[in-house]
Amino acid sequence: MILFPAIDLKDGQCVRLKLGDMNQATVFNDDPAAQAKSFEDQGFDYLHVVDLNGAFAGESVNGAAVESILKTVNFPVQLGGGIRTLEHIESWLDKGLARVILGTVAVRDPELVKEAAKKWPGQVAVGTDAKGGMVAVEGWAETSELSIIELAKRFEGAGVAAIIYTDIDRDGVLAGINWDSTLELARATSIPVIASGGLASMDDIERMTRREYQILEGAISGRALYDGRIDSREALARLKAA
């Protein structure tokens, strides 16, 4: 069970959004590379990064900040936001990313995702961001008519490394992860699922240690880590011991 600390990038800064709203952003650090190094020093094994501006623009916007992170840390980094082409994917993997996360393009062009997963085994994940159980795209600005389970089934057997499921209605408000929907998704697909959106406290960490939650690859935490609601060393120790 992996606990992924999150760095969300907006205008070159580490921020957290409330309910996916770019106008409700709280800045936590104006030095993303330093924040990434702090997470590495705390003992985390993997970093989750999102280019928020890129998700809306459809191309990398905070590339300089991401490259600075990659040059600063040694643990693996996964990146989502604005990665829409095979050229984008190849460029980021060549720069040292461990894994790219494809969201909007997974809805718009699933064949591209399958091609990428075949070309770069283990390095392509799908981001499923949902509002009311339906997949949202274009930086959460639009809601599709596709359910999260329908999207997951598109990629069954395609070699996708993981599905990252975010409940937008809980993201950034410390409401607790939507565990029911996350586990439902994990049971419906053979692709490893990572929970995201709303991880709020050590109670969520305790829940992750239970046997029925071991079906998940892990969970992503943002605001609760920045706010100190989750003690990183205690959380990592509990998950390692589970």
Side-chain angles (χ1 to χ4, degrees):
M1 181 73 76
I2 302 170
L3 182 61
F4 297 80
I7 290 180
D8 288 358
L9 297 170
K10 179 177 183 283
D11 304 332
Q13 298 174 310
C14 301
V15 306
R16 295 303 294 169
L17 302 186
K18 184 176 181 180
L19 303 174
D21 185 349
M22 287 285 273
N23 294 317
Q24 296 190 70
T26 301
V27 177
F28 283 99
N29 196 325
D30 59 8
D31 187 340
Q35 183 63 61
K37 181 62 176 170
S38 173
F39 283 140
E40 185 175 43
D41 291 344
Q42 289 171 51
F44 288 99
D45 295 319
Y46 216 120
L47 179 65
H48 175 78
V49 180
V50 177
D51 181 344
L52 294 171
N53 301 102
F56 284 92
E59 60 185 8
S60 176
V61 175
N62 289 287
V66 178
E67 290 182 37
S68 179
I69 288 170
L70 292 173
K71 291 174 183 176
T72 302
V73 300
N74 294 310
F75 63 170
V77 178
Q78 63 183 20
L79 172 69
I83 303 174
R84 306 278 171 88
T85 68
L86 293 174
E87 289 75 21
H88 283 163
I89 296 167
E90 184 169 33
S91 174
W92 276 119
L93 294 177
D94 285 347
K95 289 175 181 175
L97 270 186
R99 190 153 69 185
V100 296
I101 304 164
L102 306 179
T104 295
V105 73
V107 176
R108 304 278 196 239
D109 190 356
E111 293 306 313
L112 183 147
V113 177
K114 294 175 184 177
E115 182 179 351
K118 183 177 180 180
K119 188 171 183 178
W120 296 287
Q123 293 186 285
V124 176
V126 168
T128 59
D129 304 330
K131 286 185 178 180
M134 308 306 287
V135 177
V137 295
E138 304 294 347
W140 301 353
E142 300 176 21
T143 304
S144 73
E145 296 182 359
L146 198 64
S147 77
I148 56 169
I149 290 177
E150 288 171 331
L151 182 66
K153 289 190 178 297
R154 280 185 174 183
F155 303 109
E156 197 71 43
V160 169
I163 292 176
I164 298 162
Y165 169 52
T166 304
D167 185 337
I168 299 169
D169 296 325
R170 293 173 181 244
D171 191 68
V173 295
L174 300 167
I177 282 176
N178 186 338
W179 291 113
D180 290 343
S181 293
T182 303
L183 291 175
E184 182 184 10
L185 175 61
R187 295 185 190 108
T189 180
S190 63
I191 304 169
V193 172
I194 299 169
S196 175
L199 196 147
S201 68
M202 293 301 292
D203 288 340
D204 282 321
I205 299 297
E206 189 280 327
R207 189 186 293 251
M208 289 165 62
T209 66
R210 300 175 195 171
R211 179 173 296 179
E212 62 266 36
Y213 292 83
Q214 299 302 307
I215 191 174
L216 301 175
E217 178 176 291
I220 294 167
S221 180
R223 185 176 292 269
L225 281 173
Y226 291 102
D227 283 351
R229 295 168 187 262
I230 291 177
D231 181 289
S232 59
R233 297 191 188 280
E234 183 182 349
L236 292 169
R238 283 196 197 183
L239 292 172
K240 188 175 182 179

